[in-house]
Amino acid sequence: MPPLQTPSQTVGPFFKPALIRPGQESLITPKTRGERITIEGRVLDGDSAAVSDAMIELWQANADGRYDHPDDSQEKLLDPDFHGFGRAATDEHGRFRFYTIKPGPVPGPANLLQAPHINVSIFARGLLKRLVTRIYFADEPLNITDAVLKTVAPERRSTMIAHIDQPGILRFDVVLQGENETVFFDV
């Protein structure tokens, strides 16, 4: 008889004491190569109320488009000062902030380049599983041909695109449900 799987259970609200460490919101060091950006946003529920106990994780390629992972065997440069993973908790107003770089394009299906993007996981009280989305960049020409972005209805793609607040600072809000709900992927 195969072992029974443990059913999903709500994640959180224990992120801050258990999983959040100071400095995890910064993916960069002074030596990291690439265009520095700050990503700021909020996590909002279906009533547009702030989610004050969510945790957001980022995973991204470096400025050359290579992940710091053994499965990425591209002949692109690895940046020893960039590992591509970050984690942040939301504050009492649902706000979060990351300091990172704009990633380079990575190969996708049929080895076609994907638009630069950042993979995002959201964990929050009441969710049985993490939510997964991507952050794309408004000024990126490869958005038009990106295989993943093209699977999303055109009228919903804007929920995955970070908007420029001011030079070097991008805005990306996560709406968990309802009007303007962020596009999430099954994983």
Side-chain angles (χ1 to χ4, degrees), residues 10-131:
T10 185
V11 294
F14 310 108
F15 305 120
K16 287 181 184 172
L19 298 173
I20 303 295
R21 301 287 179 262
Q24 289 179 309
E25 72 285 349
S26 181
L27 286 69
I28 56 176
T29 73
K31 295 180 181 180
T32 302
R33 293 189 321 263
E35 176 188 346
R36 281 161 167 59
I37 57 173
T38 300
I39 298 172
E40 298 179 339
R42 294 180 71 201
V43 177
L44 304 168
D45 69 13
D47 295 323
S48 296
V51 178
S52 62
D53 59 358
M55 180 177 75
I56 298 92
E57 290 182 346
L58 301 186
W59 173 239
Q60 69 175 85
N62 67 21
D64 294 308
R66 183 168 178 189
Y67 286 95
D68 184 11
H69 191 277
D71 288 344
D72 189 338
S73 58
Q74 299 179 80
E75 294 193 18
K76 296 177 180 177
L77 290 175
L78 268 177
D79 183 345
D81 296 300
F82 186 77
H83 301 291
F85 178 80
R87 182 182 283 159
T90 55
D91 67 12
E92 65 274 7
H93 303 290
R95 296 179 301 214
F96 63 88
R97 178 180 294 132
F98 287 96
Y99 305 96
T100 187
I101 56 167
K102 183 176 179 183
V106 297
N111 233 12
L112 297 174
L113 284 181
Q114 297 181 56
H117 64 274
I118 298 173
N119 300 298
V120 182
S121 291
I122 299 101
F123 302 83
R125 179 176 7 142
L127 296 177
L128 295 179
K129 297 180 180 179
R130 71 184 171 127
L131 298 176

